[in-house]
Amino acid sequence: MDKSSRISGFYKLSVEERIKKVREFSDLGNDDIKTLKEGLSLEYADRMIENVICKISVPLGIATNFQVNGKDYIIPMATEEASVVAAASNAARLVREGGGFEASSTEPVMIGQIQLVVDDPDDAQDIILENKKQIIGLANERDPTLVSLGGGVKDLKVRIVGSDDRRMVIIHLLVNVQDAMGANAVNTMAEAAAPFIEEITGGKVYLRIISNLATERIARARCVIPQRVLGEDVIEGIVRAYEFAAVDIFRASTHNKGVMNGITAVTLATGNDTRAVEAGAHTYASFESEYRPLTTWSKNKEGDLVGEIKLPLAVGTFGGATMNPVARVMHKIIGAKKASELSEVLAAVGLAQNLAALKALSSEGIQRGHMALHAKNIAVMAGAGENEVEKVAQKLVEEKNIRVDRAKELLEELRGE
Ligand code: MEV
């Protein structure tokens, strides 16, 4: 029987019970559970970056209800922000009623840039294109494993940028990186090809580095939510919210921040490079015109809500920090077989996160959702113990007065002081 990520009441379970559900869903073993509970060791952390003195912890929650291309997923999200995991799960539940997300992605092709400064850029461009095969060959020699797996440099393009006597030639190596994020492979290849490019053009190569504007590595997701699920007014509100972002860059920025709340949380959980993904997403948002929302929302003929997202998603399921033991467990939980599948899941998460935000913002606002957790924090600040937090927090929310001084009074009443 296919597994279902529609786990109702997941949020009401204890941490132990949640782990049990995740274990069942993702077939985790005893070692995986041990890793989940212990987290990254200091020894491992010390090998990941320099000058380590400790680790910083970020809460990791599981978003439920996701269905992408007919497959069910539960999704680990690492974030310090309250409501993000609940919002993604709620939106995924709504999308599920319309048949889930449809998603697709291009081949995992990253761009490596080589900056060449030369007296005659036009002439250099011709020379580089004439020697294209040899340049590609030199780059591919540096990563026979990637090439044997079907990856490696697939094409080379040349651009001339800058003006007057500051013009320069920019060579793009188009590298299929398979299941890696790809930065290491791409940078190595760009560095390997550079001396030959200098030799044939007589110019000087400066930078040899990946571009995070990964226009060749695009993921898309789409969903249709029937009108009966949301109602006409809510749909109108969501479409209006999108229209606002589409015409106003101040709103577009926040709209996209909401999209990235979801995408960054999964990127971080899986040991991928959050800054690379964010740089790519935001630059892509202004790639064709002025800065735009990464999603679109409209109504179809039947009045159903149609949402779409399209963005570069350079994430890997293998290599680099995705190999750290905690990230390995997260990859097992998601169960994506390839990096392209992971990118499709991420696109769906981004769309869900945005749907949840627009739905809340265009109706009751987002503050009520934040209040429950906020109230718990205030109760703890007032000195509530484990058995008192829930009661004090609930009262604070009921009274719509979430303040430490009131929490202290409630605590005294509760204790009969
Ligand atoms: C908050 O982290 C994210 C939102 O501001 C996104 C949005 O406004 O669309 C709620």
Side-chain angles (χ1 to χ4, degrees), residues 81 251 254-255 257-258 261 357-358 361 366:
E81 187 172 336
R251 175 56 207 155
T254 323
H255 179 107
K257 189 272 183 184
N261 271 347
L358 299 192
L361 288 168
I366 56 164

Side-chain angles (χ1 to χ4, degrees), residues 313-333:
L313 276 169
V315 286
T317 50
F318 189 81
T322 72
M323 304 310 279
N324 88 62
V326 180
R328 281 334 301 158
V329 181
M330 299 312 146
H331 283 279
K332 261 197 192 175
I333 292 173

